[in-house]
Amino acid sequence: MKSKAKHLPHGKPKREAKPSWRHYNFTTAGPVDDYLYSMLPQRDEVLAEMEGYASEHNIPIVGPAVARVLQQLALMIAAKTVFELGSAIGYSTIWWAQAVGDKGRVIYTDGDAENAERARGYFNRAGVSNRITLHTGDALEVLSEQKEEYDIIFNDVDKEDYPRVLRLVAPRLRKGGLFITDNVLWSGRVAEKNPSDAKTKAILEFNRKLYDSKEFYTTILPLRDGLAVAVKK
């Protein structure tokens, strides 16, 4: 005897259950986020001062949790050259400079001369100024002029420029090098239906093209505002 197929009432399609391994209702916001930051070792005097200044003056920095990931990734691939797109007051620049060592080199770029001057003072106090080259102006123009291949390119420029950055990166990154991008979850706005603002649209375009790229193997880490880590194949 043939079994009868079960049908749901007309107009009510069956909703697929989320797989258990997704932890769909778990979030790193709130108390869990507080726990993650409570685990971090105390930063040195210069970095701690920069964190306070950034908070007081609303200067965008990656913060210590993400900065430790950046430094760890640099150490994992023994990076000696880092190109940073959008450096602000140089907070993440110092973490990169500490990772590449005395013979390494980090390129700082920012369009604000006041940011660059403040960053220079921090670099001197942190003892890493000899590892950092400062460029004030359009970060993408500076990148487009580069002839060498870097170990790491870190992207933290204006969000509308993210798709343009992707077009410039591959020829300037060595095989096995890392292309790392901050703010790819954009405070959750990437999950909105039909977003209207240009920044969110640009990040969505960037994320999709980065994952679809045959030149990169990409993962988004849901730490802070989302960190995309892509290795060049």
Side-chain angles (χ1 to χ4, degrees), residues 38-54:
S38 74
M39 294 294 292
L40 300 177
Q42 187 173 357
R43 273 74 68 200
D44 62 38
E45 180 182 349
V46 175
L47 289 172
E49 180 181 321
M50 294 174 80
E51 290 168 14
Y53 180 85

Side-chain angles (χ1 to χ4, degrees), residues 53 142 188 207:
Y53 180 85
V142 178
N207 289 344

Side-chain angles (χ1 to χ4, degrees), residues 153-172:
I153 296 177
F154 178 53
N155 172 34
D156 199 8
V157 293
D158 293 337
K159 308 316 162 192
E160 295 95 327
D161 287 329
Y162 273 23
R164 185 176 159 214
V165 170
L166 183 55
R167 295 193 291 270
L168 293 172
V169 164
R172 296 166 179 86

Side-chain angles (χ1 to χ4, degrees), residues 16-28 191 222:
E16 292 186 7
K18 298 290 192 300
S20 60
W21 42 260
R22 278 197 49 185
H23 279 219
Y24 188 72
N25 292 318
F26 177 77
T27 176
T28 58

Side-chain angles (χ1 to χ4, degrees), residues 7-225:
H7 296 280
L8 293 172
H10 183 69
K12 294 183 179 180
K14 183 179 179 181
R15 297 180 63 182
E16 292 186 7
K18 298 290 192 300
S20 60
W21 42 260
R22 278 197 49 185
H23 279 219
Y24 188 72
N25 292 318
F26 177 77
T27 176
T28 58
V32 177
D33 194 62
D34 290 339
Y35 170 75
L36 291 174
Y37 279 88
S38 74
M39 294 294 292
L40 300 177
Q42 187 173 357
R43 273 74 68 200
D44 62 38
E45 180 182 349
V46 175
L47 289 172
E49 180 181 321
M50 294 174 80
E51 290 168 14
Y53 180 85
S55 181
E56 181 179 352
H57 297 275
N58 199 28
I59 302 292
I61 62 172
V62 298
V66 169
R68 283 180 64 86
V69 173
L70 300 181
Q71 192 171 86
Q72 185 176 17
L73 291 170
L75 293 170
M76 288 170 67
I77 68 166
K80 291 300 178 185
T81 56
V82 178
F83 192 102
E84 189 172 55
L85 289 148
S87 304
I89 59 173
Y91 180 81
S92 53
T93 320
I94 290 179
W95 289 83
W96 291 126
Q98 291 172 344
V100 300
D102 286 331
K103 295 182 179 180
R105 185 165 55 91
V106 181
I107 308 299
Y108 165 107
T109 63
D110 200 82
D112 189 317
E114 186 176 337
N115 275 347
E117 192 57 33
R118 177 169 292 276
R120 191 188 303 275
Y122 288 135
F123 299 158
N124 287 331
R125 290 174 54 199
V128 294
S129 58
N130 61 316
R131 308 174 189 181
I132 300 169
T133 302
L134 283 84
H135 289 275
T136 304
D138 189 318
L140 276 71
E141 287 187 10
V142 178
L143 178 63
S144 68
E145 295 167 357
Q146 302 303 302
K147 305 300 181 184
E148 67 178 283
E149 292 183 338
Y150 288 84
D151 296 319
I152 293 175
I153 296 177
F154 178 53
N155 172 34
D156 199 8
V157 293
D158 293 337
K159 308 316 162 192
E160 295 95 327
D161 287 329
Y162 273 23
R164 185 176 159 214
V165 170
L166 183 55
R167 295 193 291 270
L168 293 172
V169 164
R172 296 166 179 86
L173 189 67
R174 71 164 171 85
K175 184 177 181 180
L178 298 177
F179 175 41
I180 305 172
T181 301
D182 195 26
N183 304 119
V184 294
L185 295 181
W186 203 226
S187 298
R189 290 190 287 272
V190 292
E192 292 178 357
K193 294 182 179 179
N194 304 314
S196 57
D197 70 288
K199 292 181 179 180
T200 303
K201 287 182 176 180
I203 292 172
L204 286 168
E205 177 187 346
F206 171 85
N207 289 344
R208 176 44 53 203
K209 287 184 175 179
L210 184 59
Y211 264 96
D212 289 344
S213 173
K214 295 181 180 179
E215 295 179 288
F216 293 103
Y217 187 95
T218 301
T219 298
I220 290 178
L221 306 179
L223 179 63
R224 203 181 72 96
D225 199 24

